[in-house]
Amino acid sequence: MGSETVGVAVTAAAIDEAWLLESLAGLVAIPSWQGDERAAQEYVAAVMDGLGMDLDVWEIDEAELSGHPDYATELERKSPLGVVGRMDWDAGAGRGLTGSGPTGSGATGSGATLILNGHVDVVPPGDRSRWTTPPFRMDVRDGRVYGRGVLDMKGPLVAGLAGVKAVLDSGIRLRGSLVFHSVIGEEDGGLGTLASVLRGHTGDGAIVLEPTGLQVANAQAGALNFRLTVPGKAAHGALRHEGVSALEKFMLVYGHLMDFERLRNASVGDSRFESNPAPYPICIGTVQGGEWASSVPEVVRAEGRFGVGIGEDVRAARRLFEARVAECCARDDFLRDNPVRVEWWGGQFAPCETPEDARIVTVARSVVRDLGLGSDGLAAVPYGSDLRHLVNAGGTPGVLFGPGDVANAHREDESIGVTELVDGARAVALAVTRFLGRRT
């Protein structure tokens, strides 16, 4: 029986749904937010060990990592942990295990190396009273799984492991190596994937298991965090005409930036973004200012994210943004002498793209088509992800390809369908067998 037929047979019958849900419940029960991800990483390492994978578990040296130009973070971490599991089918007897430790593309045997990547960190749960059930207690009802991270992205990560389990349980012997990154810090800059890549865990193709509805995305936009400090002049509220409101000046700058957003998005012309009116948005997320209700505010600070186009140079994009703010200041009598300060901080997600004829892209599209999971057309996403570290720093062509609808992420009652998780596991199992190929 050929590897293609075997792969389809494995994905059709061998996904252990009970194992998937039990493993996911254990991971969801571990709060892994605000930089406290170690326990979740230890849990995933134990799951990988139970599957018979070789482990590379190491203390991430963040001081050393911070010297890399792609390093970015918003949170302090006391003991960041890297976890990578590996299967080497070309290495010898049994399941083909070798000694753990960093290895590079094609470092073992003659076959290809496929990377699977998923993050354990989640966003804060928010107001817990808005949740139907506690966010860190997974609940399954009416065919859906609820809990913080079940979609973004503990669920897709565990579905990926369930797909790997199906391949291992089938007993088929593949060529090359499978490397599974379990990473931290994706939500605030991606230091976990960057650390894994720089440690040598790269490959010939990569699948980042972000929820794309199992549509193959071969490109992502960039997103750069910025901070604006807008000056004013304080005065008594009863004599506000003697002051200069920093809030009013901020509104002036904000309107200028919205015009800039419209200009940048008017000429995108990428069919993958056809349904998105602003794939490269400028979003102000926080605004703070003023110290007293009856005083004219003398300073306003605003933080947001600046969308960077696919193929656009990050440094050039920053200069364009800064120039736009400077242009607005030059048109205003007060801001001309008291300009707005622009700072770049926290998450700095560069864009990336994998050629559509890359093998990982064609394999992923064939999986979608042959499993009947939807359209095998290509997509691009308007948000940053860890894919950029694999493509840009790691030289590994990759795609975003995972179960679930991202619209259900970062909100109360985060959820994903059980069938979606199983389909995600099936897709991973088939992608692994097809990319690596059966050993004859």
Side-chain angles (χ1 to χ4, degrees), residues 67-85:
H68 194 278
D70 293 334
Y71 169 83
T73 188
E74 298 173 22
L75 302 172
E76 290 186 8
R77 291 175 170 84
K78 292 182 180 179
S79 52
L81 193 68
V83 172
V84 170

Side-chain angles (χ1 to χ4, degrees), residues 387-412:
L387 180 63
R388 76 195 190 282
H389 289 319
L390 287 155
V391 172
N392 297 342
T396 302
V399 295
L400 297 166
F401 181 47
D405 183 351
V406 73
N408 290 318
H410 293 211
R411 50 165 294 179
E412 72 278 3

Side-chain angles (χ1 to χ4, degrees), residues 44 220 230 289 368 397 404 412 423 427 432 440:
V44 174
Q220 66 166 65
V230 184
V368 173
E412 72 278 3
D423 282 344
V432 169
T440 57

Side-chain angles (χ1 to χ4, degrees), residues 40-58:
Q41 285 287 76
E42 292 171 342
Y43 178 90
V44 174
V47 173
M48 290 178 173
D49 186 58
L51 293 177
M53 303 182 80
D54 273 348
L55 297 180
D56 183 20
V57 179
W58 74 99

